[in-house]
C-alpha cells in the first residue's frame, strides 16, 4: 500500500513540475509586437551554419545566417572570462580584483545590465590607440570556446548556393571582430562601438538602436543582394531567446534557439576548421579566467612571488649539481630524453619557448661551459642568468664573429659551448618559425634540441608588455614543466663555413618539428611583432651592445 501511495505522489509531483516548466518557458519568450512579429522559434540544438535546410519550392541562391555570439556561437553561457581577461591585461591586477569582487552582484543582474557593468569596469580609462588585445590576446580565448556544431562547415558544399555569415554580439566590437573575421571568416559583425573621450574609452557603448542606425543592415545581412523572398533566399538566425532582438525580429525567417540540454554535447571547434591558423597570441594569463580560476590566482600570488624569488636565488647562487634537484623540489618539473653523450658537442640549436631554454639545455646536458646567444632580453635577465649570455645585434658579420669567438675561446676564459635559438623569438603554439641559417656558418656540428614547455597560470613571454617581468611571471607558475629532447646530431663540417646554410637550417627545423609533432612555417620574428605589437620587433642597438660583442 505504501509503494502505491509513493508512486501516486511522485506521479502527481512530476505533473506539477512539468506544468510549472511549461508556464516558465511560455512566459520566458514574450511575443514581439504585431508590427515586427517573428516566426515561431525552434527550441532545438543549433543547426550547423552550413547545414541549413533550403526552403520549400526550389533551390536557394544565398543562405544568410545571423548568429548570436553569446549563447549561440560560444559554448560557455558566461561572458565574465572575456571581460576579466581585458581587465587583467589592460588594467592590471587591481582592475581585475575589482571585477572579481563585483561578480556576486553581476550574478543578480540581467544579462544586458551585467555586460554594461563589466564593460565599464574593464574599459574605463583604457587608451584607445594602445588597445591591441582584441587582435593579440582575445582570439585564443574565444576560439577555445567556439561550438563546432554551430560553426562547422560542410565538406561538400553545393555550387549553386552562396553563403554569408553575420554575427551579432552585445560585447564591444573591438573585442569580438578580429577573432570573428580573421579566424572564422565571418562576413559581417554587428556589435556596439565603445564611446571615446580624448583618446580614452569611457566604458560606455551604443545601445541596440544606435547600432542599427549606424550600420546599413540591408547591406550587412545582404538583404538587397538576396532580394527578400522573391528569389528563394533564406535568412536564418541561430542564438538564444532572440525574440527581443530587433535584428532577429525584422530579418530572420527562422530562429533556431538552443536549450540548455541541447548545448551540453557541444564540442570545441577543431583548429583545422579555422579560416587561418592561430600561431601568434600575447598576454600574461595562461588560463581561462573564470571567477573561480581568477580567485585561485589571487590566492596564489602571495605565495607565488616569494617562490619565484626563491627559485631565482637557487639558480644564481648554487652550482648546477645542486640547483637542478632543488628547483625540482620547488615544483619546476623537467623530463630529459637523450640517446648519446653530449660532452663532445659545442653548438646546441633549439626551438625557443621561453627565456629559460638555455638554462634547461645547460642543466640537463650537465654542461657549465655553455653560453646563450640572445636577441632582446632585459638587462635584469642577463644579470640574473647563471650562465654567460651575450647579445646579438642583427649585424650578420658581427654576430657570426661573436659566436665564433665563444666557440673558439678556451674553457678557462669562459669559452666552450653555445646555445642558439634560430627562431629569434618565442612561439607558444605548436609551430616553428623559420630558422635563421647563421648558425650553419660557424663550421661546427649541430646538436638539435627539441623543447616543449607548459605553464598553468602565467606566460613568461610577451611581445607588447614589459619584458622585465618575464622571468618573474615564468617562475611564479606553480609547476612549470619542460621536456628536453636531444636529437641525433647534424654534421655540417663537410660543408665548411659559408656552405649550404638554408638547407641545413631547414633540416634542423624539420627534425625538431617531427620530434615535437609541430608544424614548420616560413614566418619570422618580424611577422610575430607586426601581428601582436604593431612594430617589427627590432630593439635599438646601443653602443654598449656593440662593445660587448
Amino acid at each position: 500500500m505504501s509503494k502505491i501511495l509513493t508512486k501516486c505522489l511522485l506521479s502527481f509531483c512530476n505533473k506539477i513540475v512539468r506544468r510549472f516548466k511549461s508556464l516558465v518557458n511560455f512566459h520566458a519568450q514574450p511575443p514581439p509586437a504585431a508590427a515586427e512579429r517573428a516566426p515561431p522559434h525552434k527550441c532545438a540544438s543549433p543547426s550547423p551554419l552550413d547545414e541549413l535546410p533550403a526552403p520549400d519550392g526550389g533551390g536557394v541562391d544565398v543562405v544568410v545566417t545571423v548568429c548570436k555570439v553569446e549563447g549561440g556561437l560560444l559554448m560557455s553561457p558566461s561572458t565574465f572570462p572575456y571581460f576579466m581577461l581585458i581587465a587583467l591585461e589592460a588594467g592590471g591586477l587591481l582592475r581585475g580584483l575589482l571585477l572579481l569582487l563585483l561578480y556576486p552582484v553581476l550574478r543578480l543582474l540581467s544579462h544586458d545590465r551585467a555586460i554594461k557593468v563589466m564593460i565599464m569596469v574593464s574599459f574605463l580609462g583604457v587608451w584607445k590607440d594602445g588597445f591591441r588585445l582584441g587582435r593579440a590576446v582575445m582570439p585564443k580565448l574565444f576560439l577555445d570556446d567556439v561550438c563546432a556544431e554551430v560553426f562547422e562547415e560542410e565538406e561538400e558544399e553545393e555550387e549553386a548556393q552562396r553563403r554569408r555569415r553575420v554575427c551579432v554580439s552585445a560585447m564591444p566590437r573591438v573585442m569580438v571582430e578580429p577573432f570573428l573575421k580573421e579566424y572564422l571568416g565571418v562576413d559581417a559583425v554587428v556589435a556596439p562601438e565603445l564611446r571615446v573621450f580624448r583618446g580614452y574609452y569611457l566604458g560606455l557603448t551604443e545601445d541596440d538602436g544606435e547600432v542599427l542606425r549606424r550600420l546599413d543592415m540591408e547591406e550587412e545581412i545582404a538583404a538587397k543582394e538576396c532580394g527578400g523572398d522573391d528569389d528563394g533566399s533564406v535568412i536564418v538566425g541561430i542564438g538564444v531567446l532572440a525574440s527581443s532582438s530587433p535584428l532577429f525580429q525584422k530579418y530572420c525567417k527562422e530562429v533556431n534557439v538552443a536549450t540548455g540540454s541541447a548545448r551540453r554535447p557541444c564540442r570545441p571547434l577543431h583548429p583545422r576548421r579555422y579560416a587561418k591558423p592561430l600561431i601568434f597570441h600575447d598576454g600574461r594569463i595562461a588560463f581561462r579566467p573564470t571567477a573561480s580560476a581568477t580567485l585561485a590566482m589571487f590566492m596564489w600570488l602571495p605565495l607565488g612571488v616569494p617562490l619565484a624569488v626563491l627559485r631565482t636565488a637557487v639558480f644564481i647562487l648554487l652550482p648546477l649539481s645542486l640547483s637542478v634537484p632543488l628547483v625540482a623540489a620547488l615544483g619546476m618539473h623537467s623530463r630529459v630524453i637523450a640517446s648519446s653523450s653530449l660532452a663532445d658537442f659545442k653548438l646546441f640549436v633549439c626551438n625557443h619557448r621561453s627565456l629559460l631554454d638555455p638554462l634547461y639545455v645547460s642543466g640537463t646536458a650537465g654542461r657549465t661551459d655553455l653560453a646563450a646567444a640572445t636577441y632582446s632580453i632585459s638587462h635584469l635577465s642577463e644579470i640574473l642568468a647563471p650562465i654567460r649570455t651575450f647579445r646579438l645585434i642583427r649585424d650578420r658579420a658581427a654576430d657570426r664573429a661573436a659566436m665564433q669567438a665563444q666557440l673558439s675561446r678556451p674553457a678557462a676564459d669562459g669559452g666552450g659551448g653555445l646555445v642558439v635559438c634560430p627562431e629569434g623569438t618565442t612561439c607558444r603554439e605548436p609551430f616553428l618559425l623559420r630558422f635563421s641559417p647563421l648558425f650553419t656558418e660557424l663550421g661546427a656540428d649541430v646538436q638539435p634540441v627539441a623543447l616543449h614547455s607548459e605553464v598553468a597560470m602565467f606566460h613568461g613571454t610577451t611581445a607588447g608588455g614589459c619584458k622585465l617581468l618575464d622571468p618573474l611571471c615564468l617562475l611564479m607558475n606553480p609547476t612549470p614543466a619542460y621536456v628536453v629532447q636531444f636529437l641525433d646530431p647534424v654534421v655540417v663540417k663537410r660543408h665548411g663555413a659559408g656552405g649550404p646554410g638554408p638547407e641545413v637550417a631547414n633540416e634542423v627545423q624539420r627534425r625538431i618539428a617531427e620530434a615535437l609533432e609541430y608544424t614548420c612555417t616560413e614566418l619570422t620574428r618580424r611577422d610575430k611583432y607586426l601581428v601582436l605589437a604593431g612594430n617589427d620587433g627590432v630593439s635599438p642597438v646601443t653602443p654598449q651592445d656593440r662593445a660587448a660583442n
Side-chain angles (χ1 to χ4, degrees):
M1 185 66 181
S2 60
K3 292 183 178 180
I4 297 176
L5 181 60
T6 303
K7 289 182 179 179
C8 292
L9 288 175
L10 290 175
S11 177
F12 180 71
C13 291
N14 289 334
K15 288 183 180 180
I16 293 177
V17 171
R18 286 196 296 268
R19 178 62 59 86
F20 179 73
K21 286 184 177 180
S22 64
L23 290 175
V24 171
N25 290 336
F26 176 77
H27 291 292
Q29 301 185 50
E36 298 179 352
R37 187 175 299 276
H41 300 95
K42 294 185 178 181
C43 294
S45 59
S47 303
L49 293 192
D50 289 318
E51 295 179 357
L52 297 173
D56 296 336
V60 178
D61 292 330
V62 179
V63 175
V64 181
T65 304
V66 181
C67 182
K68 183 72 172 178
V69 174
E70 308 93 303
L73 180 64
L74 301 179
M75 295 184 292
S76 174
S78 174
T79 57
F80 179 83
Y82 308 111
F83 289 102
M84 175 56 74
L85 188 63
I86 294 291
L88 290 172
E89 297 288 356
L93 293 176
L94 292 179
R95 192 188 293 256
L97 181 60
L98 174 60
L99 184 59
L100 180 63
L101 294 175
L102 291 175
Y103 181 73
V105 179
L106 298 175
R107 293 297 301 269
L108 300 176
L109 299 177
S110 64
H111 179 263
D112 293 340
R113 290 187 178 182
I115 284 185
K116 292 183 181 298
V117 173
M118 289 189 288
I119 291 174
M120 174 65 72
V121 175
S122 302
F123 283 94
L124 179 62
V126 175
W127 184 37
K128 176 184 177 182
D129 293 340
F131 185 83
R132 299 188 60 85
L133 301 186
R135 183 180 303 274
V137 179
M138 299 303 297
K140 172 65 175 177
L141 189 64
F142 276 121
L143 289 172
D144 290 341
D145 196 30
V146 173
C147 181
E149 281 75 11
V150 173
F151 209 83
E152 199 169 46
E153 291 190 353
E154 185 177 322
E155 294 293 337
E156 296 180 358
E157 182 175 325
E158 296 183 12
E159 296 181 358
Q161 292 184 355
R162 290 181 295 123
R163 301 181 185 277
R164 180 173 177 84
R165 300 183 180 94
V166 180
C167 281
V168 183
S169 176
M171 291 184 282
R173 185 185 60 82
V174 293
M175 284 178 61
V176 298
E177 186 176 67
F179 118 86
L180 290 171
K181 286 193 171 182
E182 295 182 17
Y183 295 98
L184 296 184
V186 171
D187 298 291
V189 177
V190 180
E193 292 279 3
L194 285 165
R195 302 188 188 279
V196 180
F197 179 73
R198 293 186 177 180
Y200 291 88
Y201 290 126
L202 295 177
L204 303 173
T205 60
E206 305 170 320
D207 56 32
D208 291 342
E210 290 176 303
V211 174
L212 297 180
R213 286 193 296 270
R214 174 174 53 85
L215 298 174
D216 184 358
M217 297 311 302
E218 300 289 335
E219 181 179 353
E220 293 294 332
I221 68 172
K224 291 180 180 179
E225 179 184 352
C226 295
D229 295 335
D230 297 337
D231 64 351
S233 60
V234 61
I235 303 177
V236 179
I238 296 178
V240 293
L241 299 178
S243 58
S244 60
S245 173
L247 182 60
F248 282 83
Q249 294 173 6
K250 185 174 181 180
Y251 296 103
C252 296
K253 298 180 180 180
E254 174 186 331
V255 178
N256 296 290
V257 179
T259 61
S261 59
R263 294 306 299 269
R264 291 193 192 104
C266 267
R267 54 186 172 85
L269 187 68
H270 196 279
R272 287 197 300 264
R273 298 292 189 180
Y274 299 167
K276 71 175 185 179
L278 177 67
I279 300 177
F280 302 126
H281 62 88
D282 205 11
R284 291 293 189 188
I285 303 302
F287 61 95
R288 183 174 182 82
T290 60
S292 58
T294 306
L295 177 61
M297 181 199 73
F298 280 106
M299 295 176 65
W300 169 255
L301 286 178
L303 179 61
V305 174
L307 181 60
V309 174
L310 179 59
R311 288 168 171 172
T312 304
V314 170
F315 268 125
I316 296 175
L317 301 177
L318 299 179
L320 286 177
S321 58
L322 294 178
S323 63
V324 171
L326 277 179
V327 295
L330 293 174
M332 299 187 67
H333 300 163
S334 62
R335 180 189 176 197
V336 184
I337 305 174
S339 58
S340 60
S341 174
L342 305 172
D344 298 332
F345 291 95
K346 285 193 171 185
L347 182 58
F348 293 81
V349 176
C350 60
N351 58 307
H352 202 1
R353 307 303 288 180
S354 76
L355 78 170
L356 293 187
D357 294 343
L359 301 184
Y360 271 95
V361 173
S362 175
T364 55
R367 298 277 298 274
T368 59
D369 61 332
L370 296 183
T374 64
Y375 280 101
S376 60
I377 63 172
S378 66
H379 289 289
L380 178 62
S381 299
E382 290 181 308
I383 295 173
L384 297 179
I387 63 175
R388 183 174 182 270
T389 64
F390 60 92
R391 288 198 175 201
L392 303 180
I393 58 176
R394 298 191 182 278
D395 182 322
R396 194 176 189 85
D399 291 342
R400 182 174 59 247
M403 291 190 290
Q404 191 67 60
Q406 169 63 25
L407 292 177
S408 59
R409 184 181 295 125
D413 296 336
L418 180 65
V419 182
V420 180
C421 301
E423 288 181 289
T425 187
T426 57
C427 183
R428 297 174 181 175
E429 296 301 307
F431 294 90
L432 292 185
L433 306 186
R434 190 176 69 194
F435 278 26
S436 169
L438 180 60
F439 69 90
T440 65
E441 301 177 9
L442 302 177
D445 292 344
V446 174
Q447 172 60 66
V449 185
L451 300 178
H452 174 73
S453 65
E454 291 184 1
V455 294
M457 194 168 287
F458 304 106
H459 287 296
T461 60
T462 182
C466 179
K467 292 186 179 296
L468 187 65
L469 298 178
D470 284 358
L472 178 65
C473 290
L474 182 60
L475 296 175
M476 278 174 56
N477 283 282
T479 55
Y482 252 85
V483 177
V484 184
Q485 183 175 359
F486 295 92
L487 308 178
D488 294 334
V490 177
V491 180
V492 296
K493 288 182 178 179
R494 63 176 180 270
H495 300 301
E503 290 80 1
V504 176
N506 293 339
E507 174 66 16
V508 175
Q509 182 196 38
R510 184 190 62 80
R511 290 192 184 188
I512 295 178
E514 287 182 354
L516 296 172
E517 296 184 354
Y518 285 5
T519 302
C520 295
T521 72
E522 288 294 324
L523 300 175
T524 63
R525 174 190 176 92
R526 182 175 182 272
D527 297 319
K528 170 186 171 178
Y529 277 84
L530 286 176
V531 171
L532 301 183
N535 56 61
D536 58 6
V538 177
S539 302
V541 179
T542 63
Q544 292 81 1
D545 295 332
R546 292 187 179 276
N549 282 8

